[in-house]
Amino acid sequence: IVDGEPAALAIAVSRSDDPGDAVEYHFVGDTIRWYAPLAPDQGLAQVLLDGTPVELVDLFAPAPEGSAVRFERTFSGVETHTIRVENTGLANPAASGSVLRTDGFDNTY
């Protein structure tokens, strides 16, 4: 768990093969971005905001791609939130695995 400051960048590099593993980031702000690479062995990641599932993100690509914004959300005001990205253990049928890699988060006012 990484605690963020407004206009912060949290480097939370992680890799997981295990369903249910997750990375969380607590922050104050009005925008959150999650960065991750794409790869042939990556699966589906569940993004939750404040405990509520909001998006299932497919991290599969036929060839590796560098880190980029894979999820972004803007809120109506500056508030305290938690983003959680979970390894679902599921994958695109073309994927060779269900790995979850994440490179970090940033949030702004």
Side-chain angles (χ1 to χ4, degrees), residues 3-100:
D3 289 318
E5 297 296 325
L9 172 65
I11 305 300
V13 177
S14 67
R15 179 189 187 280
S16 168
D17 296 288
D18 298 327
D21 279 358
V23 60
E24 285 187 356
Y25 178 57
H26 305 286
F27 66 96
V28 176
D30 64 0
T31 301
I32 185 68
R33 290 175 204 84
W34 166 51
Y35 295 83
L38 301 180
D41 66 343
Q42 293 215 121
L44 301 173
Q46 179 65 66
V47 177
L48 298 92
L49 289 174
D50 302 323
T52 301
V54 294
E55 191 169 328
L56 194 60
V57 179
D58 188 351
L59 297 171
F60 167 78
E65 295 182 21
S67 190
V69 175
R70 304 298 173 197
F71 175 84
E72 181 174 4
R73 177 65 52 96
T74 300
F75 302 94
S76 60
V78 175
E79 302 167 342
T80 301
H81 296 282
T82 300
I83 184 170
R84 180 179 174 92
V85 180
E86 294 181 353
N87 183 336
T88 65
L90 305 173
N92 182 309
S96 62
S98 60
V99 174
L100 168 62

